[in-house]
Every structure is written in structure tokens, then in C-alpha cells.
Amino acid sequence: LLRQTNVFRDAAQANEAGERVMDSEDQERERGITILAKNLAVMRDGVKINIMDTPGHADFGGEVERVLNMCDGVLLVVDSVEGPKPQTRFVLDKALKQDMKVVVVVNKIDRPAARPDYVVDKVFDLMMELGASDEQIDFTTVYASGLNGISGMEPDDMQEDMKPLFDAIRDCVDPPEVKSTEPDALQCLV
């Protein structure tokens, strides 16, 4: 996503940032987990998209709830082989209780052992268990390989970029509701 929205000024800066840009703390990089939430703003087709990476574990529940209060929707990224992990349940439950729309991203779709149908079925089952509304159950699924920068609406029809994912975000996640733009009505969450 970062490379395809020209966040980096050149290839050298992209290489310096590495593969785990959002995992900036030593422990996060070492363990491959998110502990502190991070925000990333990208522009795509004239639309500003704020992407927030949240911790996935119940031990960081306060951080998850704080971040979800600032979001308008959820990209539920699941592994194409493993499917939803136990920590997925915690964050998804919080998002569903806030009546958020969910876009499911089946990542690592290029792996030989990928099981996209199994994974989508498991996500559906999990959403049912968590009491998702009919609108939430009717989620959009995007298949992707973040490492290779490809995505598609079908696992066997991939495009050579992340356009299908960006389109799903734009089309499926409601834009923020701005109640007023009057100067006295604006507030800042600090």
C-alpha cells in the first residue's frame, strides 16, 4: 500500500523503511506483533485514507478500543492458510459492537497452501458467533499478497497492484460524518 501510494520519495527510502514499517518498536519487529497503534495517511485517487494498525491481543484492549473509536471501518486481515487467529476474535468483536463495516482481506494468497474458501468460511462463522448484523455479515472480501503488492476480488483473478483493495476501502467503508465545520464546533482528540 505504501509503495503504490508514493509515500516514499524513492526506492532507497522504501528499502530503508523495510517490510515492517508500521512495527517500529524493537519488540514489535522482533516478535512480529503490534503493541502500540499507529496511523498512516495515504492519498489514493484524490481520497485521503487513514490506515490504523491496532494490536490484536486482548492484553492491549485499551489501545484497541481507543483506536477503534477513531475509525470508520475495519480491514480484517487474515492469513490465507491459517485463517482467523484467536486474537482476531477480540478485535473483531470490539469492531462489530461499534457497528463497523468490515472488509475482509485474505492476505498471502500467493502461498501454495492458500485455502481462500476455507478462510472466508471461517471468518463468516466467527462473525456469526460474535453476533454480527446482517449488513456486517455481507462483507466484501479482497484477496491480496501484501509482499508482492497484488490484489483482486477473486483468488484466481489478481491484478498487478492494490487497486481492488483501495477500491473496496473507498466503496465499502462509509466516509466520516462531519456534523459541523463551524470553528466553534471543531474539536481535537488529544
Side-chain angles (χ1 to χ4, degrees), residues 7-63:
V7 168
F8 303 115
R9 71 177 162 267
D10 56 31
Q13 188 184 35
N15 291 336
E16 181 183 329
E19 297 298 324
R20 296 189 177 274
V21 176
M22 300 289 276
D23 293 334
S24 56
E25 302 291 321
D26 289 341
Q27 189 176 17
E28 291 177 320
R29 287 181 186 267
E30 180 183 313
R31 295 175 59 193
I33 62 170
T34 301
I35 297 172
L36 299 173
K38 284 128 193 126
N39 180 60
L40 168 71
V42 298
M43 292 295 293
R44 181 67 179 214
D45 300 327
V47 176
K48 183 178 183 179
I49 301 170
N50 286 296
I51 300 169
M52 302 176 113
D53 186 15
T54 68
H57 199 275
D59 289 348
F60 308 108
E63 184 79 352

Side-chain angles (χ1 to χ4, degrees), residues 8 18 25 79 90 94 98 140 155 168 178 185 190:
F8 303 115
E25 302 291 321
D79 185 282
F90 174 77
K94 297 289 183 192
Q98 291 191 23
T140 297
V178 178
V190 180

Side-chain angles (χ1 to χ4, degrees), residues 46-189:
V47 176
K48 183 178 183 179
I49 301 170
N50 286 296
I51 300 169
M52 302 176 113
D53 186 15
T54 68
H57 199 275
D59 289 348
F60 308 108
E63 184 79 352
V64 171
E65 289 178 5
R66 180 183 70 83
V67 172
L68 286 177
N69 284 329
M70 295 184 266
C71 294
D72 299 302
V74 176
L75 291 180
L76 182 67
V77 181
V78 292
D79 185 282
S80 68
V81 176
E82 298 174 9
K85 295 183 179 178
Q87 60 266 31
T88 305
R89 177 183 202 90
F90 174 77
V91 178
L92 181 59
D93 185 44
K94 297 289 183 192
L96 293 175
K97 286 181 178 170
Q98 291 191 23
D99 201 30
M100 292 185 171
K101 289 186 181 174
V102 178
V103 175
V104 175
V105 181
V106 180
N107 195 26
K108 302 177 185 176
I109 196 65
D110 54 331
R111 291 173 67 185
R115 307 182 291 175
D117 293 335
Y118 168 82
V119 169
V120 171
D121 287 347
K122 287 296 180 186
V123 170
F124 181 86
D125 292 346
L126 178 58
M127 291 181 80
M128 290 295 292
E129 286 175 35
L130 295 174
S133 69
D134 290 345
E135 185 179 25
Q136 291 168 322
I137 287 288
D138 190 23
F139 55 85
T140 297
T141 303
V142 180
Y143 302 89
S145 171
L147 189 62
N148 294 317
I150 61 174
S151 64
M153 300 309 290
E154 296 294 332
D156 55 357
D157 186 21
M158 305 298 287
Q159 292 189 21
E160 294 301 314
D161 60 17
M162 298 300 263
K163 185 177 184 325
L165 178 56
F166 283 115
D167 290 348
I169 294 168
R170 184 195 62 224
D171 296 341
C172 300
V173 177
D174 296 329
E177 290 182 28
V178 178
K179 297 191 183 355
S180 174
T181 57
E182 296 299 318
D184 292 338
L186 297 178
Q187 297 181 19
C188 179
L189 180 62

